[in-house]
Amino acid sequence: MSKKRKTPEELRSHRWYGVNDLRSFGHRSRTAQMGYSREEYAGKPVIAILNTWSEINPCHTHFKQRVEEVKRGIWQAGGFPIELPAQTLSEPFQKPTTMLYRNFLAMEAEETIRSYPADGVVLMGGCDKTTPALLMGAISMDLPTIFLPAGPMLNGNWNGVTLGSGSDTWKYWADLRAGKITEEDWKGVEGGIARSPGHCMTMGTASTMTSAAEALGFTLPGFASIPAPDSRHAQMSAKTGMRIVEMVWEDLKPSDIITRKSVDNAVTTCLALSGSTNAIVHMIALARRAGVDLTLAQYDEIARRTPVLANIRPTGKYLMEDFYYAGGLRAMLKELGELIDGTQMTVNGKTLGENIADAQIYSEEVIYRRAKPLMPDTGLAVLRGNLAPDGAVIKPGAAEKRLHVHTGKAVVFKDYNDMAARIDSEELDCDENSVIVLQHAGPVGAPGMPEWGQLPIPQKILQKGVRDMLRISDARMSGTSYGACVLHVAPESFIGGPLALVQDGDLIELNVPERRLNVLISDEEMARRKAAWVAPEPRFRRGYGAMYQMHVMQANNGCEFDFMQRDGVGGSCASAGGEPEIH
Ligand code: FES
């Protein structure tokens, strides 16, 4: 790619700082108020650093230090850094779910970049929704942008046992409920499962989405796999600061990086990692910001050809720290061969193929060879049928195989509270072949489509030693979860989707190889129930929630706001006809 290098007068910030008028006087005098003399910023690229650090986000605790390293790099390369706080979206603490606020941060990122004198942008994220949200906003603004991934935390440890975020929480919680471990053991797990800064180190949404960001071309090569506390993470942060300054002069923008092929690369990456099902929703939303109309059907098509190579929990055995030592994402991408389009541009000005050319696998236990993959193609399946006309998803690799083709009687819970109240009741009419159904857990109904999709197994069935059952909801599921959980059922039950019409005792049929999900009732019966269905009261009456419920689209459309779309596709990327700037 050869573009003319920008001159200082062509910088966007020149309009704020370089013009000799009254408004620029104001900007310069107020910059002087902050202690900067003209020599420190005049004619230099202004770099906005969107930092999602906060005192309640454990995954980003090191961002206070990392942002200083980014600034160091920016200064050294001749730029002028401005740190701007952005919503922290702390996965463990924010209720009802960070997903309710993903679009809020995406809008905040876009409008922050738009309204301040940014020439280039560093996005600092990692905890689940922060990565897609920041990228969505930056893609829409289309200024030179680089992503700094928080990096995974170190492996968890308790009494010599390696612990993985989320996955081992569910595992030991089930053991505690089944009486297999003591309260003291449970406390030990609590103390050892998260023992350093960084995002979840299993293949949850965070590891999946930061890896997708790297495969898309938005990070320096190899960055997404480096554990947060590693000194190489700090070094990469400084290099990220250096590189963004050069990207501004080169005018290397998201629209040069995100294409149909780079989106396919990112989807392939998510699948080869056996990544979180949440990535589907996020990839659809961010691809459409760039005018790339990613659909569930295309996702399924890529899933059918993509082997799972990463042996990482919850699908596999190891954790992100092991993945890094085994060669990391670059090594896995290289092993994927022609399934990855190496011609795609990345933020360092080189192609993805150039960036991975010298990568090597150092442990075939952690990163499998393509000739002998961990799983041939079972990372993800998109289902359809009368229960999910607009689609649903399942991660077959994380489910017991006997449940891939299964028919069972529905046990229906009308919402989360109903499920919490009755799931462990001795009276509950169910056995291990039953199908647990949760309603009102979708984007509008829950609200925010929380990660409730790994529905609990009734205690009386757990006590029989059963560890998996078919479970269906319109919720999402944490990427660190596992089990035969059908998720993202669309349209959702709260707005009258067929899931709302399922009743106790209905037979539900799942067939993963044939991608089918049906409730075995007649069309006439379905129509009769639909006619009798009464819409529930809206969740919100005012504020952001009211706007959210009015405009959020269903999971198959990435849970994006309808008003962020243009021309029937999602794109509001400047190259796809974005909003004009008002200065
Ligand atoms: Fe932040 Fe899991 S809690 S990534």
Side-chain angles (χ1 to χ4, degrees):
M1 170 177 322
S2 61
K3 284 191 194 174
K4 192 170 99 24
R5 278 180 80 80
K6 280 204 162 162
T7 65
E9 292 71 32
E10 288 170 336
L11 293 175
R12 187 169 173 268
S13 61
H14 184 76
R15 289 184 253 152
W16 275 263
Y17 284 123
V19 185
N20 199 14
D21 63 11
L22 185 61
R23 284 200 298 179
S24 296
F25 168 85
H27 302 142
R28 288 192 299 267
S29 66
R30 291 301 180 161
T31 305
Q33 183 185 7
M34 292 187 282
Y36 296 107
S37 56
R38 270 203 196 196
E39 294 72 24
E40 291 190 83
Y41 64 85
K44 293 181 177 179
V46 175
I47 307 299
I49 309 169
L50 266 58
N51 188 353
T52 51
W53 175 89
S54 82
E55 284 187 341
I56 199 158
N57 194 329
C59 307
H60 297 173
T61 46
H62 56 317
F63 275 3
K64 247 189 174 175
Q65 176 62 32
R66 292 290 175 270
V67 76
E68 297 308 319
E69 287 141 4
V70 172
K71 288 178 193 171
R72 189 175 84 213
I74 293 171
W75 284 119
Q76 286 173 354
F80 181 54
I82 308 172
E83 182 183 352
L84 292 157
Q87 271 187 76
T88 199
L89 299 191
S90 175
E91 192 65 26
F93 289 100
Q94 195 164 24
K95 304 298 177 208
T97 162
T98 51
M99 188 61 191
L100 184 61
Y101 300 104
R102 184 203 64 183
N103 293 353
F104 203 165
L105 174 56
M107 292 175 76
E108 180 189 357
E110 180 176 345
E111 300 308 325
T112 301
I113 299 166
R114 191 194 316 282
S115 54
Y116 286 107
D119 296 304
V121 184
V122 178
L123 305 172
M124 297 181 67
C127 189
D128 284 21
K129 316 302 178 292
T130 55
T131 303
L134 291 168
L135 284 171
M136 286 161 71
I139 289 167
S140 289
M141 266 310 289
D142 205 30
L143 295 181
T145 296
I146 194 164
F147 183 74
L148 185 155
M153 65 177 99
L154 299 177
N155 290 356
N157 185 278
W158 161 66
N159 288 356
V161 178
T162 299
L163 298 176
S165 318
S167 307
D168 281 308
T169 308
W170 327 130
K171 174 177 180 295
Y172 287 103
W173 177 239
D175 283 352
L176 184 71
R177 292 172 73 223
K180 288 175 66 183
I181 63 166
T182 65
E183 282 291 342
E184 250 341 273
D185 292 334
W186 181 235
K187 273 191 203 159
V189 173
E190 177 183 307
I193 200 164
R195 60 189 189 90
S196 83
H199 60 67
C200 293
M201 76 321 235
T202 35
M203 190 45 68
T205 306
S207 303
T208 310
M209 287 310 300
T210 52
S211 301
E214 179 168 335
L216 267 175
F218 277 102
T219 77
L220 289 180
F223 201 170
S225 309
I226 305 176
D230 196 304
S231 61
R232 286 165 285 194
H233 194 277
Q235 294 163 28
M236 277 292 221
S237 299
K239 284 186 190 169
T240 294
M242 288 183 204
R243 178 59 196 154
I244 186 62
V245 176
E246 198 49 29
M247 284 174 70
V248 171
W249 294 125
E250 292 170 4
D251 198 26
L252 181 57
K253 299 186 294 197
S255 52
D256 299 313
I257 288 170
I258 184 164
T259 64
R260 162 61 67 184
K261 287 178 177 169
S262 68
V263 166
D264 285 357
N265 283 345
V267 170
T268 302
T269 300
C270 295
L271 292 161
L273 290 167
S274 190
S276 165
T277 43
N278 288 325
I280 303 164
V281 177
H282 300 319
M283 282 305 304
I284 288 173
L286 73 85
R288 291 185 184 182
R289 288 292 182 112
V292 176
D293 190 15
L294 180 63
T295 63
L296 278 181
Q298 289 160 350
Y299 220 103
D300 193 60
E301 199 181 304
I302 298 174
R304 287 174 191 266
R305 67 171 186 241
T306 306
V308 175
L309 300 186
N311 187 11
I312 303 178
R313 298 182 203 184
T315 301
K317 178 176 170 194
Y318 294 96
L319 295 170
M320 284 299 286
E321 190 181 342
D322 311 303
F323 185 63
Y324 177 53
Y325 303 144
L329 185 67
R330 289 171 66 246
M332 192 195 79
L333 291 177
K334 188 176 178 199
E335 185 62 22
L336 284 167
E338 84 290 349
L339 296 178
I340 292 292
D341 186 323
T343 65
Q344 299 304 298
M345 180 51 57
T346 75
V347 287
N348 71 346
K350 296 185 178 157
T351 63
L352 185 61
E354 289 171 313
N355 288 341
I356 62 176
D358 64 348
Q360 284 186 50
I361 294 175
Y362 299 110
S363 166
E364 296 183 10
E365 252 297 286
V366 181
I367 304 175
Y368 276 52
R369 294 287 177 188
R370 214 176 133 192
K372 207 170 162 236
L374 183 68
M375 290 186 288
D377 60 359
T378 49
L380 182 93
V382 174
L383 309 166
R384 280 183 204 279
N386 70 355
L387 197 46
D390 292 338
V393 302
I394 187 170
K395 203 169 166 182
E400 285 185 10
K401 203 143 192 213
R402 68 184 170 86
L403 295 168
H404 288 192
V405 178
H406 182 78
T407 301
K409 276 189 191 173
V411 179
V412 182
F413 297 98
K414 67 178 187 317
D415 58 26
Y416 186 85
N417 290 341
D418 180 32
M419 182 180 72
R422 293 196 294 125
I423 189 81
D424 286 336
S425 162
E426 275 298 321
E427 315 306 312
L428 193 71
D429 182 14
C430 73
D431 61 26
E432 55 271 40
N433 294 315
S434 300
V435 180
I436 310 278
V437 173
L438 175 65
Q439 298 167 333
H440 292 189
V444 183
M449 205 183 175
E451 292 182 339
W452 295 340
Q454 189 193 26
L455 310 179
I457 294 173
Q459 194 150 17
K460 65 180 181 185
I461 295 178
L462 273 180
Q463 280 163 349
K464 288 197 221 168
V466 174
R467 286 292 181 272
D468 203 1
M469 288 175 74
L470 179 56
R471 292 161 270 177
I472 301 177
S473 73
D474 39 21
R476 294 175 301 117
M477 175 172 91
S478 164
T480 63
S481 302
Y482 49 82
C485 303
V486 174
L487 312 157
H488 306 193
V489 169
E492 66 174 298
S493 51
F494 196 84
I495 63 169
L499 192 69
L501 312 177
V502 178
Q503 297 177 355
D504 280 334
D506 286 347
L507 282 178
I508 293 181
E509 177 210 35
L510 169 72
N511 187 319
V512 173
E514 294 177 12
R515 304 298 200 252
R516 258 197 343 259
L517 180 68
N518 285 306
V519 52
L520 302 181
I521 59 174
S522 66
D523 293 348
E524 294 72 32
E525 175 62 11
M526 185 78 99
R528 193 188 61 73
R529 292 184 191 180
K530 175 82 186 165
W533 179 77
V534 179
E537 286 293 299
R539 294 285 190 202
F540 299 97
R541 299 261 169 224
R542 60 171 295 283
Y544 172 77
M547 181 184 86
Y548 170 91
Q549 76 191 2
M550 198 178 299
H551 294 288
V552 72
M553 296 190 289
Q554 292 291 290
N556 56 309
N557 286 317
C559 297
E560 174 66 290
F561 286 147
D562 54 9
F563 58 78
M564 298 307 287
Q565 299 192 112
R566 286 182 57 138
D567 306 327
V569 191
S572 56
C573 180
S575 63
E579 301 306 315
E581 286 188 49
I582 302 163
H583 188 76

